[in-house]
Amino acid sequence: MNSILDNRPALAQQIAEVAEVAGYLWQKGWAERNGGNITINITDIVDDEIRHLPAIGNKIPIGRTFPLLKSSYFFCKGTNKRMRDLARKPMEHGSIIRISDDGASYAIIADQPVKPTSEIASHLSMHNYLISKGSNYKAALHTHPIDLIAMTHNDAFLAKDVLSNLLWSMIPETRAFCPRGLGIVPYSLPSSFELADATIRELEEYDVVMWEKHGVCAVGENIMEAFDMIDTLSKSAQIYLTAKSMGFEPDGMSAAQMNELKIAFNLPK
Ligand code: 13P
Ligand code: ZN
């Protein structure tokens, strides 16, 4: 079967990276059943032929108008589709959509009529927000890491920057490679605009945010960067939990050590 990826190496490369990350999410145990979703803003790499592709099926209202997303293009994991399947056959378990020229609806244009993720409200809100800030970030990733989600079941970890500081202090990598820390979005109904709005409020300050008792969401230049930040935070959470299970509270790096890292790596916070 023909694919929109045929003879389009730049697009094919982006989708191959999505598939690679989808495989990691499954291997990590973060992607039970259809858990998690990925979207990539591919507008910069679409050509005229893609722009003229007919819609597959009807226009689907977004439920809100996103002026900055007018006529833009996204790869989206399909709703109810499994990450482990996306890893093997990304264009059968995801699709490419075109936002309408009024920014209020979208149509699927390739390869197959796979309906985008139920978290499209949050994903499109994040992409719209990133464009409004002039960001070069193109990828949004939502997944369900066991360790990080477990930590959101304790009120003490939900106060501002408690988790950021705790996880940063576990290993230097987390401080250096997740330099804006971890925001907290209070529990909201999955797929709601309430969840979307709370998420983009946190993106003002963070590239990675927890969805309380649900999952984590990260934005990055590309899908690998978004994955790496979550992976690093999860590693810190594992170290914390391992220490606790050995019966002690981990010391964490000292304030002086943290400050030394901030200076050495010229970190933003
Ligand atoms: P989708 O299968 O619709 O992407 O939903 C998975 C999920 O994690 C919802 O939060
Ligand atoms: Zn989810």
Side-chain angles (χ1 to χ4, degrees):
M1 191 200 154
N2 290 345
S3 168
I4 194 172
L5 306 186
D6 295 345
N7 301 313
R8 290 195 174 91
L11 185 56
Q13 172 62 28
Q14 292 272 317
I15 304 308
E17 270 185 41
V18 167
E20 184 180 342
V21 166
Y24 298 156
L25 299 176
W26 166 249
Q27 287 158 16
K28 289 232 161 234
W30 298 350
E32 75 294 342
R33 198 177 183 278
N34 60 310
N37 18 78
I38 295 173
T39 57
I40 309 288
N41 185 342
I42 56 162
T43 311
D44 286 352
I45 52 171
V46 303
D47 50 45
D48 273 346
E49 201 184 320
I50 293 180
R51 277 186 272 275
H52 290 106
L53 280 178
I56 305 171
N58 296 331
K59 284 200 304 193
I60 303 170
I62 297 169
R64 189 175 278 187
T65 300
F66 288 109
L68 300 176
L69 300 185
K70 287 176 183 175
S71 310
S72 50
Y73 293 79
F74 295 89
F75 173 84
C76 306
K77 193 207 79 154
T79 187
N80 252 317
K81 299 296 186 186
R82 295 170 171 83
M83 286 294 176
R84 60 184 190 261
D85 292 334
L86 195 70
R88 290 181 300 115
K89 294 181 174 167
M91 295 307 294
E92 287 178 27
H93 301 275
S95 58
I96 290 175
I97 63 167
R98 174 166 54 223
I99 310 290
S100 57
D101 53 16
D102 63 1
S105 64
Y106 66 83
I108 298 164
I109 59 159
D111 281 343
Q112 300 177 26
V114 175
K115 190 171 187 266
T117 171
S118 60
E119 299 289 5
I120 193 124
S122 281
H123 280 264
L124 293 183
S125 297
M126 288 190 279
H127 289 293
N128 189 72
Y129 170 83
L130 292 169
I131 294 168
S132 79
K133 293 289 165 183
S135 167
N136 62 346
Y137 285 12
K138 305 288 183 204
L141 167 60
H142 161 61
T143 184
H144 299 168
I146 301 161
D147 37 32
L148 291 171
I149 296 172
M151 296 180 96
T152 71
H153 283 264
N154 181 350
D155 251 6
F157 289 137
L158 298 178
K160 187 173 167 53
D161 286 332
V162 170
L163 269 186
S164 287
N165 287 315
L166 177 68
L167 297 174
W168 273 348
S169 78
M170 290 295 107
I171 40 170
E173 275 72 11
T174 306
R175 181 69 187 94
F177 298 118
C178 193
R180 299 181 78 209
L182 182 59
I184 303 287
V185 173
Y187 183 84
S188 275
L189 184 69
S191 82
S192 63
F193 274 104
E194 190 190 355
L195 178 61
D197 291 341
T199 301
I200 59 167
R201 276 197 296 277
E202 289 296 290
L203 290 191
E204 293 277 348
E205 215 187 310
Y206 306 95
D207 287 342
V208 191
V209 302
M210 289 309 303
W211 287 352
E212 181 188 336
K213 302 182 182 88
H214 175 168
V216 62
C217 225
V219 291
E221 252 176 77
N222 55 55
I223 193 63
M224 211 56 82
E225 292 289 340
F227 170 78
D228 280 339
M229 285 187 288
I230 298 174
D231 191 29
T232 313
L233 287 160
S234 168
K235 170 61 72 79
S236 275
Q238 288 287 316
I239 292 163
Y240 176 78
L241 297 168
T242 305
K244 292 291 272 186
S245 69
M246 286 191 281
F248 65 90
E249 182 77 22
D251 289 340
M253 286 181 285
S254 68
Q257 289 165 339
M258 298 282 279
N259 199 42
E260 180 188 44
L261 272 173
K262 182 175 150 83
I263 295 163
F265 287 87
N266 196 19
L267 301 171
K269 276 187 182 173

